[in-house]
């Protein structure tokens, strides 16, 4: 009996939470996904992805879910030759794996709109858990009067964890990849 009551309370909580969830779609015109990686141990190469999509549920500054996809073919490192090489099998192999994917699994609340998003990141055919620092930026309304939210994500991954560019030594190409994502999302 006690177990049935607890199950019923949990189910009501999920229904209530789902009813109050506010779903937002990423506004790619006002968002960015950038990265930085060390080259020859002396400089950083920076890049971005121009095409990406995502949805997030946020209530009171706290995300309850976040999913995102990035179009690998939209990479831009300000060097056309390098961008073309990054599409090849020894790097992203975009013919076989055209998207990078992220799915949030949990959120660690640090208070005042800050915390850690924990989730699964898939690059090529490898999925690994990652943690990204989360900072809520604010709410407002766009020119059409639709509610918007903003937040930033920051983190670091190792390319070796994803078997990414395994033929490149860490002297030629650093193992750490720094990630910075700034999102503006529009209420659906």
């Amino acid at each position: 009996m006690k177990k049935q009551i607890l199950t019923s309370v949990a189910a009501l909580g999920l229904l209530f939470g789902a009813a109050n969830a506010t779903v937002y779609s990423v506004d790619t015109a006002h968002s960015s996904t950038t990265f930085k990686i060390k080259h020859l141990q002396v400089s950083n190469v920076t890049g971005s992805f121009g095409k990406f999509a995502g949805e997030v549920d946020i209530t009171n500054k706290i995300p309850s879910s976040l999913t995102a996809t990035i179009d690998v073919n939209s990479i831009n490192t300000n060097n056309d030759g390098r961008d073309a090489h990054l599409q090849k099998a020894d790097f992203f192999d975009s013919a076989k794996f055209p998207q990078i994917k992220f799915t949030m699994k949990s959120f660690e609340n640090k208070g005042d709109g800050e915390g850690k998003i924990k989730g699964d990141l898939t690059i090529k055919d490898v999925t690994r858990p990652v943690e990204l620092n989360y900072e809520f930026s604010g709410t407002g309304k766009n020119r059409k009067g639709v509610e918007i939210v903003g937040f930033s994500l920051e983190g670091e991954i190792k390319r070796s964890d994803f078997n990414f560019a395994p033929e490149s030594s860490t002297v030629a190409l650093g193992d750490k990849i720094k990630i910075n994502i700034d999102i503006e999302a529009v209420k659906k």
Side-chain angles (χ1 to χ4, degrees):
M1 178 70 168
K2 193 174 191 180
K3 188 175 182 180
Q4 284 179 324
I5 292 172
L6 288 174
T7 303
S8 297
V9 169
L12 284 173
L14 286 173
L15 287 173
F16 180 74
N20 289 321
T22 306
V23 180
Y24 299 85
S25 291
V26 172
D27 176 356
T28 57
H30 299 102
S31 301
S32 65
T33 59
T34 61
F35 62 89
K36 184 189 307 186
I37 188 167
K38 197 72 106 172
H39 181 252
L40 296 176
Q41 296 185 348
V42 296
S43 65
N44 288 306
V45 171
T46 60
S48 63
F49 292 94
K51 294 180 182 176
F52 49 91
E55 282 193 357
V56 61
D57 291 356
I58 294 181
T59 303
N60 297 324
K61 302 181 184 180
I62 306 298
S64 58
S65 73
L66 170 64
T67 58
T69 57
I70 297 172
D71 181 348
V72 172
N73 289 302
S74 71
I75 196 166
N76 181 1
T77 64
N78 293 317
N79 182 302
D80 292 340
R82 179 174 45 226
D83 294 346
H85 185 200
L86 289 170
Q87 303 304 322
K88 297 189 185 259
D90 57 332
F91 283 91
F92 282 110
D93 197 3
S94 63
K96 285 172 75 175
F97 307 102
Q99 293 183 331
I100 296 170
K101 298 177 182 178
F102 178 80
T103 303
M104 178 178 147
K105 298 295 183 189
S106 66
F107 182 75
E108 180 183 321
N109 190 0
K110 302 232 174 182
D112 200 27
E114 294 186 9
K116 285 194 182 291
I117 287 182
K118 298 176 183 183
D120 288 337
L121 179 66
T122 302
I123 299 175
K124 291 173 74 169
D125 58 348
V126 178
T127 301
R128 295 272 189 245
V130 296
E131 285 187 11
L132 300 170
N133 294 320
Y134 168 90
E135 183 177 352
F136 187 79
S137 303
T139 61
K141 293 194 184 258
N142 64 15
R143 291 184 356 195
K144 295 178 181 178
V146 180
E147 185 179 326
I148 58 173
V149 295
F151 61 92
S152 297
L153 301 171
E154 194 176 274
E156 188 175 277
I157 61 171
K158 289 186 176 182
R159 68 180 175 89
S160 58
D161 287 346
F162 292 89
N163 198 28
F164 184 78
E167 302 300 318
S168 296
S169 73
T170 53
V171 172
L173 190 60
D175 195 33
K176 294 179 184 177
I177 302 171
K178 294 181 180 180
I179 300 168
N180 287 294
I181 301 168
D182 290 297
I183 296 296
E184 181 176 305
V186 181
K187 186 176 181 179
K188 288 181 85 175

